[in-house]
Amino acid sequence: MTTRPQTADVIVLGAGIIGVSIALHLQERGKSVLLVDRGEPGAETSHGNAGLIERSSVIPYAFPRDLKTLLAYASNRATAVRYRPATLLRMAPWLARYWWHSGAGRLDAAAQAMLPLIEACVTEHARFTEAAGTAPFMRGDGWIDLYRSSAALRDATAAAAALESHGLAYEVLDRDALREREPDLHGDAAAGGVHWRDPVTVSDPGAVTRAYAALFVARGGRLAKGDALALQQDGVSWRLPAGGQTHQAPEVVMALGPWSGDLYTRLGYRFPLAYKRGYHMHYEPASGALPRHPLCEAHAGFMLTAMTGGIRLTTGIELAERDAPSDTRQLDAAERVARQLMPLGRRLEPEPWRGARPCLPDMLPVIGRAQHHEGLWFAFGHAHHGFTLGPVTGRLVADLLTTGTSFITGEPFRPGRF
């Protein structure tokens, strides 16, 4: 006797912050949703980030254009960016496209496309805060960029002033003001900083994602473990075995982050997806010393922030294959700089966590209906802003899937642009 499949309106593949948020928004619009992941919600990239909801990041992370920075990165001794030489050769065409899209006019266009998402990122997270019980994780006092030299601080001050039209709240801190705001910094650790006041930060991004998933389940949503690669199209619907049953739905949303390529290539799609890997490690506070705000060491490209698991150091960019073995040299170099900034105790994990940020060369995610399959939707490639843009991406996908329109146009993110 053949068991009839369990039905849903939509299957969402991936229970990171993007997928969980899409599931919640679809649920709010009356859709029955099955959320599927091979592991626990928020256990991958949504767990390992710096916990920033980056309202102030109105300019995408572009490819550097100045010769001094390029030479520093090319040496492969910079702390902010490291690369595997063999990977760099394979990525050369992708990097060339990234460099091209980072030109002034094209970067401005990317910033304008992303701006509505960035402007709504804090309020879209906030719509779930009370119901999900995540208020204890949220901190509304922004984060601080640190600069080691007076010249770097002057340049950063000018760059912040150039964003005046965006109405961002920030303060330029000289050495004394920075020490007052961050009393546990070593005396001469930095010449000053820029305190961005608009972002919200969280003390446990993985726990926030799990809380959003628990809210989805509490509201009647179904969460099951399964392998997204088992997805099959069956006429006008999609089938997937998960949780010991076969499930069927007319719509499926792929929100698999850095693993999206494993599935979309099997379906015949080609996107220029690459990975900026990163590491984190937690440290025991030394003599009670803690960062009062998340601190970004601007030159070395790492974040230092107090988390529920200890003081988390999150590294910059490693250009390497997604699943290549870990290389601790970047983390070790960042740790040496971090210990110059403030006291850090012992490492709290035997090995660093490693994740991969999925990136497209035009610095925009892929969000929208697939070109060649009925009922297939994509939502991946958020680069450095996955945690920031989870809920607002959920709103955009749910709007487009249910009504075809949203509070912003989805045109810049359409899959067919590649």
Side-chain angles (χ1 to χ4, degrees), residues 18-271:
I18 304 293
V20 169
S21 298
I22 291 168
L24 275 169
H25 273 281
L26 286 168
Q27 187 181 58
E28 286 187 347
R29 287 152 181 76
K31 295 291 185 180
S32 62
V33 182
L34 173 69
L35 179 61
V36 177
D37 200 290
R38 64 185 179 183
E40 298 299 322
E44 298 285 356
T45 314
S46 297
H47 158 76
N49 58 79
L52 306 178
I53 304 173
E54 297 190 58
R55 172 61 185 87
S56 62
S57 295
V58 295
I59 307 298
Y61 288 87
F63 196 102
R65 310 282 288 191
D66 62 288
L67 183 60
K68 181 180 178 181
T69 302
L70 288 171
L71 289 174
Y73 290 168
S75 73
N76 210 17
R77 290 193 291 269
T79 304
V81 177
R82 293 290 181 97
Y83 61 86
R84 309 283 178 96
T87 302
L88 198 66
L89 289 174
R90 286 193 293 272
M91 287 184 68
W94 187 92
L95 291 168
R97 295 176 71 174
Y98 183 21
W99 179 87
W100 186 84
H101 280 289
S102 298
R106 291 175 288 275
L107 179 60
D108 289 344
Q112 287 303 309
M114 291 296 293
L115 187 59
L117 298 178
I118 295 292
E119 287 179 331
C121 67
V122 172
T123 55
E124 287 299 323
H125 267 278
R127 69 184 291 131
F128 300 133
T129 298
E130 182 176 355
T134 55
F137 299 112
M138 302 293 184
R139 304 175 295 207
D141 50 0
W143 57 290
I144 299 174
D145 280 328
L146 302 179
Y147 297 93
R148 308 292 291 276
S149 71
S150 297
L153 181 60
R154 285 195 299 271
D155 290 344
T157 302
L163 301 177
E164 183 176 352
S165 62
H166 293 286
L168 299 173
Y170 70 91
E171 295 177 65
V172 176
L173 309 175
D174 62 16
R175 191 186 305 273
D176 292 338
L178 176 61
R179 283 298 309 281
E180 183 176 344
R181 206 148 297 184
E182 290 289 339
D184 291 327
L185 286 175
H186 292 311
D188 296 325
V194 177
H195 186 175
W196 298 98
R197 306 304 297 262
D198 297 285
V200 171
T201 68
V202 304
S203 60
D204 192 333
V208 170
T209 305
R210 290 191 294 274
Y212 289 176
L215 175 62
F216 165 73
V217 172
R219 289 176 171 177
R222 286 179 288 163
L223 174 65
K225 288 188 178 181
D227 183 358
L229 296 181
L231 181 73
Q232 297 289 333
Q233 192 172 28
D234 181 11
V236 295
S237 66
W238 295 88
R239 285 181 178 240
L240 181 73
Q245 296 178 302
T246 298
H247 301 267
Q248 181 174 303
E251 310 271 3
V252 62
V253 183
M254 185 190 304
L256 295 169
W259 296 276
S260 297
D262 295 350
L263 180 55
Y264 68 61
T265 54
R266 294 182 59 171
L267 296 174
Y269 294 88
R270 298 292 182 268
F271 295 102

Side-chain angles (χ1 to χ4, degrees), residues 106 181 188 207 211 245 304 355 359 362 376 399 411 417:
R106 291 175 288 275
R181 206 148 297 184
D188 296 325
Q245 296 178 302
L304 199 63
C359 305
D362 62 359
L376 176 63
D399 285 350
E411 181 67 14
R417 72 185 190 269

